[in-house]
Structures are given as structure tokens and as C-alpha cells.
Amino acid sequence: MNLKELASKLGLSPTTVSRALNGYPEVNEATRARVMAAAKRHNYRPNTRAIRLATGRAMAVGHVIPVATRHEIVNPVFADFIAGAGESYSRNGYDMVLSVVPDDAEEEAYRDLRSRGAVDGVILHAPRMDDPRIPLLHEVGLPFVVHGRATGAGLPYSWVDVNNRRAFQRATEFLLDLGHTRIGLVNGLEFMDFAIRRRTGFADALAARGLSIDPDLCASDEMTEVAGFRAASAMLDLPAPPTAFLVASMISGMGVRRAIESRGLRMGRDVSVIIHDDDLSYMKNGEDVPIFTATRSSVREAGRIAAEMLMLRIAQPDAPPETRLLEAELIIGQSTGPAPRNG
Amino acid sequence: MNLKELASKLGLSPTTVSRALNGYPEVNEATRARVMAAAKRHNYRPNTRAIRLATGRAMAVGHVIPVATRHEIVNPVFADFIAGAGESYSRNGYDMVLSVVPDDAEEEAYRDLRSRGAVDGVILHAPRMDDPRIPLLHEVGLPFVVHGRATGAGLPYSWVDVNNRRAFQRATEFLLDLGHTRIGLVNGLEFMDFAIRRRTGFADALAARGLSIDPDLCASDEMTEVAGFRAASAMLDLPAPPTAFLVASMISGMGVRRAIESRGLRMGRDVSVIIHDDDLSYMKNGEDVPIFTATRSSVREAGRIAAEMLMLRIAQPDAPPETRLLEAELIIGQSTGPAPRNG
DNA sequence: GGGGATTCCGAAAACGTTTTCGGATGCGTT
DNA sequence: AACGCATCCGAAAACGTTTTCGGAATCCCC
């Protein structure tokens, strides 16, 4: 059932039917009602392909996800962000298209999406320092919103991000208040912008108490269970091991916990741990009482917000960039306690 | 730069340029080369929207992911499957569109995708027993491939699945061979088809040794860390606790491990654990030597295969359904050992 | 009852491709 | 020289909408 058929069934022109369905004012309310009823009865749905060609809009937004060797982006955090964004899209009649490409073809993928006219805008994931994708997207004129920030990007752009610096600063202060002075940082990859900011927050809090970073107590790696285990193990085997850890994610945190417990130590008593909790639907940090003390910020909510922002930008491409800084809350769980007396 | 402009720049008709670029034989090789060169020079890319309208194909496949109350599908396993499928799609010039909808609107979402002409086919996720979506997709005539199987579906359909029954049967036999007789099953939700099959494999192996299932040693819940912890805790607190666990996923397994260790027991010595390992990129089961003994099957690979199958079906909608049963391998890690003498 | 404004609707162009149908040219064969 | 057959190319229709432009009623107001 297409527009022409529906129109002839109603004894109207396609023009009028189209206008009736799209809420244009220049159509009699009586005939509009008649058209609506007929459309519902024959469950007519306008052909997306034709709409897209006629209007010149794709009514779709893209997420390109690089894959393979270097750095794995397909992680649970990403999945939850996507889910949040997807909710916003479908509420607004947009489609979400995911483009999985080898990581050396990412820039090409953006150009491609743009010139093929497959999407109206994109979300940029996992920004790095001086991220080349930002000037690229400006150049090709594709509206975009960044999830995170990219230190060093010359041009202004829209972003939504968690206040990572502040979150880790507060977490560090909390540990310091408990008497911990040797704190291990199990960070994400430090070419990622968020990891840099977290490290800064960590360093700032230490500096404010006259302490400085011990390079032996800093690790930077993928946020996997195994990497967390490896990093924590190395630090715990030091002559002067840390009494507390600041950890980049829930998953890394599980590895850290395993390292602690496999040495016969108990988390929360012998060694304290604070993680960053993205509030993932499939990785809840406990039920009523949190397992880990954590800095928490829902990445799913961030996805919703980023999507809304992007659709707004698409509607008004010349509006000034919008930014949104989300504060993480510090929630107290069972994984922290006062520093042991004679560490 | 569109086709008409490129054609006039070359002094050719749009027809010829189109044919040259799409490899049709009725064009002189010399002019084809000239066209190709010009296309590359002006980096012309045909407009997807126009192609879709002209050819009547969407060159896109859909994944609808229900979200909200009932059952959370946005999990790491899903993410890895998507990544695998996405690789296949982009290699073949297909787009992947994700439709995130409230779970009571899932059927409507399929009808919508179909009648709007937004996709050429879909992948069906997380099939349940007597899944109503299978007859629905048959009815609306949308090519599809199921990830998993749905016991009770009357009509034939294409699927790719892991041999879950056999995997859990083998794992159970392995534990029995080690002398374990009280084995706890920490299963997924048992309205999901794969969970039913795993339970069957478990029961079959027990029955073959003259044992039967103890209802107290069976749990069925979401595959989260918390749920795994809860289930294992309950069983370990039984008067006659299990000496081994069979666990549905890596994440549940971490909860089980936490339950074991929080009781001062050691996994692999006091209590054995076998998990199912989907070989997730972000949840590797150890590096060189696996942490958990596991039945392993790459869900990413399953995604690749399912995508290939779907694109084939789209090309030949009348071909008979194709099926693909993947065997899981049993890999030995550090989480299993002989049953303790006096359990 | 004549004028302009308002209301409602339709014909046709446009979006950028693919595809059908046919036409022109050149070549080999009789 | 006539014919058939490849070979190569173009005009125009088609895909299913939206949108522009205009036209015919009807209404309102003096």
C-alpha cells in the first residue's frame, strides 16, 4: 500500500493525503480525519526510502565503531551508551546505524557516511588527545556530538561528559581521609582523554596534601578484568604495597579484587578499593548495598542526553555548540575502610 | 557531486556512468576506466537514498533490541555478537540499523521496519520457547536468521546456535569424573531457549550416572554478577553444599567466585566451577592460562556467521532455511579440581 | 454583488539513482 | 552491397514520497 493507491482509494490526490498525514494546516479537518482513518485501516506506512530521497534527510544517525587490533571499543560501557542513545532516537523517529569498520578505516567511514547521505549526524566515541576526527567532521560538515572531551581540539564542538577529574579527585580525598597514603591508580589507557583527566584529579588531590604520584603505583591499560588483575598484582608485590586502589571501571575492579583476595587479603579491611561505576544494566554494583565504593554516573543516561543534543544540532546546524558536564556521585560501599595501622 | 554532474563533466550520459561504475558489461573498457578515474578524482559516491529508492532494496539489516522492565538484552554478549555481525555487514556494503524499543512494542517494531522498507532482513535475538516472533516474521515476509533456536516453533527457519545441551553435558561429565556428585547449576532465565537446553544437558549427564537433579541446587536468573553471587551463596549455605558449580556465563561466574571466596573457600580446591565462556573481547577468561574451566564458543564468530547467512537469505529469499550448530570446546582452567574427600 | 482574502485541493516537478528500451556505429560474412 | 550481429551508448521511465505553484471555490466585508 503506497501513497498513490491510498489516495485513489480515497478519491483524493497524493498531495492532499501526504499533507493530511503530515499535519499540514491547508487541509480540511474532516478530510484529514478520513485520511487518517483510511491509513490506519490499511495500515499504510510511508516508505522510508522515498521520504529520505524527497526530503534530503536520512532521518538516521551513525555511530562508527572501530574494531580490531589497537583498541577495543566494543565493551559493556559502549553497549549501555548505545542503548540509552537508541531510546532517544526511536522516540524521535530516527534510526540508529552502526558502522563497524577496521580501525584504520575510521576516517574514511565518516566521509563515506557523509557523502553517501546515509546519516544526518554522528556521535563520536572515545575521544583521544588532539583527536583528528574532530577537525575531520568539521571539514566534511557532518553534525556531531562527542561522548567525552578531546583536550587540544582547536575548534569548538558539542560534547557530553562526566566530570572525571573531579570524580577521581573526590575519591582520592576520601581515601586520604581514611588514612591511606599509598594509593594505586589502575587507570584506563592514558591516550584516552577521560583517563588523562582522572589521573589529573588523582594527582591534584595528592598534591593538595603534599603528596606526589609514585610511578610504581600507576598503571594504564585496557579496562579488562585481566588487566586489572595484572596491574594490582604487580603493585601488591611491591616492597611497599599500596593500601588502597583507585580503579577505572567495574570490570577492572573485579580483577583488582581477585588480585587482593588471591593474596589472602580482604578487600575493605586490608586493602580499600574505589572504582568508577558506569551503572551498567548488566554489571550492577551490588543490589541494595553497593559492593564497591564508587564514583557513579550512568552512561546510559549520557547516551540519552548525547542523542537529544545531536538531534537538536541536526535540526539547527548553525546553533552554537552545546556542552553538558555530568557530575558523578560518590557512593559508599563495602570496599573501603580505614588504612591498616602498620601497613 | 552527483551522477548527473559527473556525467556532464565527462561528456557522457548518467546511464553510461552508472553502468560503468556498477560493472555492467555493455560499456567500453576505456570509457569505464575514464569514468572510474573521474569518480575517484572528484570522490563521487552514489547517494544511498537514491539507490535505495531506485533498487527497492534497503541494503540494511535490522536488529531490534527490546529494552526496559522485563529482561535486559543489552549485555556484553549482545555487544560482541553485534560487533561480529557488523563486520560482515560492512564488508558487504550493508548498513546495520539498531532499533531500541520498549519490550511491549517489539512486534510492532518488526512490522514497522518491514512496511517502511527500512531494512531487508533482521536478526532475531534471544529466542524463547514458542517464540511468537517467528510466526510474525514469517507472516510479514521479512527474511530473518535466529541467533539461537526456539523450541516449539512450528515453521522452519534459519538459525545459528551453540550446541548448549552438549556443552553442558560434557562439562557435567567432566565434573562427575572428578568425583563431584553435588553440582550446583547457576543457569540463565529458563524461559530462554538456550537455558533450557543447558539444563537438559546437565540433567542428561547426571541421569547417565544414575543421579538426578536436586531442585535446591538449581538456580535460574539473569546472568549478572549479583545474581550469580546470590545463587551460589544460597547453595553454599545449604546443610549439604555443592562441591562444584556449573555457571551460565563469565559474569555470573565472577559472582559465584565471590560467594565462594567470601566464605573462606578456594575456587579450584574446595569448590570447582565451570562456566560458559562466550569469548568476549572485553571479558577474556585469563590470558595464557584460563582462569575458569569453561565451555567456550565465540559469540562474535556467531555474529559473523549469522550475518552472512542473513545476507544470503536476502539475496535468495526462497532458498530453504539453513542452520548452523557450533560446538563449544571444553577448556581446562584453574577453577576445577578433584572433589574434596569429606565434602 | 463586486472585490479581495481565505480555505481547500491538485498537477507536476523534484530528489538521485537504476533500468528498460531502443538507436547508432562498425565489423564480418555472403 | 546488403545483411546480421556485436558493441557501445543515451532518452526516458520508474521508484514513492515531498513541495512548489497555482487554481477553484467559498467567505467576508463594505
Side-chain angles (χ1 to χ4, degrees):
Chain A
M1 174 66 52
N2 58 15
L3 189 61
K4 210 194 305 184
E5 293 170 19
L6 183 63
S8 79
K9 219 175 271 282
L10 281 163
L12 289 170
S13 77
T15 311
T16 303
V17 176
S18 170
R19 280 198 276 237
L21 293 174
N22 291 322
Y24 282 78
E26 61 265 60
V27 46
N28 191 322
E29 282 308 323
T31 69
R32 186 196 304 282
R34 206 159 60 87
V35 170
M36 298 283 242
K40 163 152 277 182
R41 185 152 29 90
H42 300 89
N43 62 40
Y44 164 77
R45 286 189 187 80
N47 184 299
T48 307
R49 299 191 283 256
I51 293 180
R52 286 174 174 165
L53 182 57
T55 61
R57 292 173 306 165
M59 289 307 284
V61 329
H63 294 241
V64 0
I65 66 189
V67 94
T69 52
R70 215 170 46 190
H71 163 66
E72 190 60 79
I73 197 182
V74 185
N75 56 40
V77 178
F78 178 75
D80 249 57
F81 182 90
I82 284 294
E87 288 174 36
S88 296
Y89 296 142
S90 53
R91 261 200 307 270
N92 291 74
Y94 273 77
D95 279 345
M96 170 165 69
V97 355
L98 259 57
S99 216
V100 178
V101 301
D103 51 12
D104 58 352
E106 189 177 354
E107 303 203 356
E108 182 59 16
Y110 287 115
R111 290 185 191 281
D112 190 60
L113 285 176
R114 166 62 173 171
S115 50
R116 277 169 47 215
V119 302
D120 296 320
V122 295
I123 298 274
L124 191 58
H125 293 276
R128 301 182 289 275
M129 257 191 86
D130 300 315
D131 201 306
R133 295 173 296 175
I134 291 181
L136 170 73
L137 289 174
H138 265 119
E139 177 203 330
V140 304
L142 195 55
F144 67 101
V145 169
V146 182
H147 178 211
R149 280 168 287 177
T151 313
L155 305 149
Y157 58 91
S158 291
W159 52 261
V160 38
D161 196 6
V162 174
N163 196 338
N164 283 297
R165 194 191 54 72
R166 196 167 207 282
F168 266 43
Q169 183 179 8
R170 285 181 62 200
T172 308
E173 285 167 359
F174 181 76
L175 289 172
L176 290 168
D177 289 343
L178 285 170
H180 298 276
T181 53
R182 291 190 60 73
I183 304 175
L185 176 67
V186 180
N187 207 357
L189 291 164
E190 287 180 355
F191 56 78
M192 301 294 294
D193 198 85
F194 75 90
I196 299 172
R197 289 178 197 275
R198 288 178 181 179
R199 188 196 177 90
T200 305
F202 176 61
D204 287 356
L206 289 179
R209 306 276 175 112
L211 298 172
S212 62
I213 285 191
D214 180 345
D216 285 343
L217 296 184
C218 288
S220 164
D221 203 343
E222 302 257 2
M223 297 186 291
T224 63
E225 205 267 358
V226 177
F229 175 79
R230 199 190 314 124
S233 295
M235 294 184 199
L236 288 171
D237 291 341
L238 251 35
T243 63
F245 285 102
L246 209 48
V247 183
S249 84
M250 186 86 196
I251 302 181
S252 320
M254 292 190 176
V256 172
R257 185 175 68 196
R258 182 159 62 95
I260 291 170
E261 292 177 348
S262 74
R263 277 162 183 72
L265 302 169
R266 212 173 104 208
M267 184 173 78
R269 189 191 58 193
D270 305 312
V271 182
S272 289
V273 174
I274 299 186
I275 64 159
H276 180 75
D277 176 6
D278 293 288
D279 203 16
L280 305 180
S281 48
Y282 240 72
M283 292 284 266
K284 284 286 175 219
N285 181 11
E287 300 194 289
D288 35 322
V289 42
I291 301 168
F292 289 104
T293 296
T295 57
R296 176 187 289 170
S297 175
S298 165
V299 70
R300 192 158 189 152
E301 180 63 17
R304 287 194 202 97
I305 294 172
E308 304 282 355
M309 281 174 57
L310 179 55
M311 290 185 290
L312 224 73
R313 278 204 80 61
I314 289 170
Q316 308 179 353
D318 297 326
E322 188 187 351
T323 65
R324 184 77 171 275
L325 189 59
L326 308 171
E327 291 298 336
E329 49 185 351
L330 181 62
I331 60 167
I332 311 301
Q334 304 164 289
S335 65
T336 45
R341 282 304 169 88
N342 45 356
Chain B
M1 174 66 52
N2 58 14
L3 188 62
K4 211 194 300 184
E5 292 170 19
L6 182 64
S8 78
K9 219 175 271 284
L10 280 162
L12 289 171
S13 77
T15 311
T16 302
V17 175
S18 169
R19 279 198 278 237
L21 293 174
N22 291 320
Y24 282 77
E26 59 268 59
V27 45
N28 191 322
E29 282 308 322
T31 69
R32 186 197 302 280
R34 206 159 60 89
V35 170
M36 297 283 240
K40 165 154 276 183
R41 185 152 29 90
H42 300 89
N43 61 41
Y44 164 76
R45 286 191 186 78
N47 184 298
T48 307
R49 299 191 282 257
I51 293 180
R52 286 175 174 163
L53 182 57
T55 62
R57 292 173 307 166
M59 289 307 284
V61 328
H63 293 243
V64 0
I65 68 189
V67 94
T69 51
R70 216 172 43 189
H71 163 65
E72 191 60 79
I73 198 183
V74 186
N75 57 38
V77 178
F78 178 77
D80 249 58
F81 182 90
I82 284 293
E87 288 174 36
S88 296
Y89 296 143
S90 52
R91 261 200 307 271
N92 292 74
Y94 273 77
D95 280 345
M96 171 166 69
V97 355
L98 258 56
S99 217
V100 178
V101 301
D103 52 10
D104 58 352
E106 189 177 353
E107 303 204 353
E108 182 60 16
Y110 287 115
R111 290 186 193 281
D112 191 60
L113 284 176
R114 166 62 173 170
S115 51
R116 277 168 46 213
V119 302
D120 296 321
V122 294
I123 298 276
L124 191 58
H125 293 275
R128 301 183 290 276
M129 258 191 85
D130 301 314
D131 201 306
R133 294 171 298 175
I134 291 181
L136 170 73
L137 288 174
H138 265 120
E139 176 202 330
V140 304
L142 194 56
F144 67 101
V145 168
V146 182
H147 178 210
R149 281 168 285 176
T151 312
L155 305 149
Y157 57 91
S158 290
W159 52 261
V160 39
D161 196 6
V162 174
N163 195 338
N164 283 296
R165 193 193 54 73
R166 197 166 205 279
F168 266 44
Q169 183 178 9
R170 286 181 62 200
T172 307
E173 284 166 0
F174 181 76
L175 289 173
L176 291 168
D177 288 344
L178 284 169
H180 298 276
T181 53
R182 291 190 60 74
I183 304 174
L185 176 67
V186 180
N187 206 358
L189 290 164
E190 287 180 354
F191 56 80
M192 300 295 295
D193 199 85
F194 75 90
I196 300 172
R197 287 178 198 274
R198 287 177 180 179
R199 188 196 177 90
T200 304
F202 177 62
D204 287 356
L206 288 179
R209 305 276 176 113
L211 299 171
S212 62
I213 285 192
D214 180 347
D216 286 343
L217 296 185
C218 289
S220 163
D221 203 343
E222 301 259 3
M223 296 187 291
T224 64
E225 204 266 0
V226 176
F229 175 78
R230 198 189 316 125
S233 295
M235 293 185 200
L236 287 171
D237 291 341
L238 250 35
T243 62
F245 286 101
L246 209 49
V247 183
S249 83
M250 185 88 195
I251 303 181
S252 320
M254 292 191 174
V256 171
R257 184 175 69 198
R258 182 159 63 94
I260 291 170
E261 292 177 346
S262 74
R263 278 162 183 72
L265 302 170
R266 213 173 104 208
M267 183 172 78
R269 189 191 58 194
D270 305 313
V271 183
S272 289
V273 174
I274 299 185
I275 64 159
H276 180 76
D277 177 7
D278 292 289
D279 202 17
L280 305 181
S281 48
Y282 241 72
M283 292 284 266
K284 286 285 175 219
N285 181 11
E287 300 193 290
D288 34 321
V289 40
I291 301 168
F292 289 105
T293 296
T295 58
R296 176 187 288 169
S297 175
S298 165
V299 70
R300 192 157 189 154
E301 181 62 18
R304 287 193 203 98
I305 294 171
E308 303 283 355
M309 281 174 54
L310 179 55
M311 290 184 291
L312 223 73
R313 279 205 80 62
I314 289 170
Q316 308 178 353
D318 297 325
E322 188 187 351
T323 65
R324 184 79 171 274
L325 189 58
L326 308 171
E327 290 298 335
E329 49 185 351
L330 182 62
I331 61 169
I332 310 302
Q334 304 165 290
S335 66
T336 45
R341 283 302 170 88
N342 46 356

